[in-house]
Amino acid sequence: MPLGLNGLEAGQSFIICCFIMIHNAMQFSPFGDKDNLDSLRANNLLSLDILFPFLGCCLGILYHNWHPSKVFVGDTFCYFAGMTFAMASILGHFSETLLIMFIPQLINFVYSLPQLLGVIHCPRHRLPKYNKDTGKLEGIRSNLNLVNLILIVTGPMTEESLCRLCLAMQVAFCCLGLCMRFAVLKLIT
């Protein structure tokens, strides 16, 4: 997950969790394959059992991590969120759908690869620059990550506005993931 903005990690985790839960709920449709329905329901219930407590955790963290933040989530929460999503998708048998919901994170990873592999110098912190005069964040072209790329494309914006834009992107890709999942499913059945 792109890091460094108040509320971004917890917000993205909350959004992804909600969409996974919607996906699980949609699997309880009585119109599916009757032979597999009980197994499918059991798998998605197990996934929901993992996600309900995680959703509560995300809400608590998001409340305290929203701008201006009182707590910082750091790597530990990101690892915990990733493991929770991985387990929920493996147990629920929808890892491909989860991968589509992670497109912003995949874009960030691919865009960051030259710095992560050492092809281009990687500074210790790849955060945008804060302009004290305007109170806005400005993208730094040499810092290859999605947050800086968004700022370079859109221009300077406040931290809260940037976070809201990143979260809106996350919602859009999660919607795309659900639509693709059920469109493909409709085509093959």
Side-chain angles (χ1 to χ4, degrees), residues 141-173:
R141 292 190 182 278
S142 60
N143 292 353
L144 303 180
N145 62 33
L146 189 58
V147 170
N148 277 297
L149 180 63
I150 290 169
L151 286 170
I152 290 166
V153 170
T154 63
M157 62 177 64
T158 64
E159 182 175 353
E160 191 169 1
S161 297
L162 178 58
C163 185
R164 288 181 192 275
L165 179 61
C166 290
L167 293 178
M169 280 179 43
Q170 187 68 60
V171 168
F173 280 107

Side-chain angles (χ1 to χ4, degrees), residues 1-105:
M1 295 185 180
L3 305 175
L5 296 179
N6 292 330
L8 184 59
E9 298 96 331
Q12 286 180 321
S13 297
F14 176 78
I15 290 166
I16 293 169
C17 186
C18 288
F19 274 91
I20 293 172
M21 293 173 86
I22 291 168
H23 171 268
N24 285 333
M26 292 173 79
Q27 295 300 313
F28 295 118
S29 168
F31 305 111
D33 180 14
K34 300 294 183 202
D35 297 333
N36 240 353
L37 197 57
D38 289 338
S39 173
L40 184 65
R41 284 183 175 164
N43 292 337
N44 283 282
L45 276 174
L46 186 56
S47 177
L48 284 171
D49 285 343
I50 292 170
L51 292 173
F52 271 114
F54 181 74
L55 186 69
C57 174
C58 284
L59 279 174
I61 290 173
L62 187 57
Y63 176 77
H64 293 288
N65 185 243
W66 194 255
H67 183 77
S69 181
K70 296 166 205 68
V71 298
F72 301 101
V73 295
D75 292 342
T76 305
F77 177 76
C78 293
Y79 294 145
F80 171 61
M83 288 185 285
T84 303
F85 294 144
M87 288 305 302
S89 71
I90 290 167
L91 294 173
H93 300 283
F94 56 89
S95 53
E96 299 86 3
T97 305
L98 182 65
L99 193 61
I100 296 169
M101 293 181 186
F102 269 86
I103 287 177
Q105 289 75 20

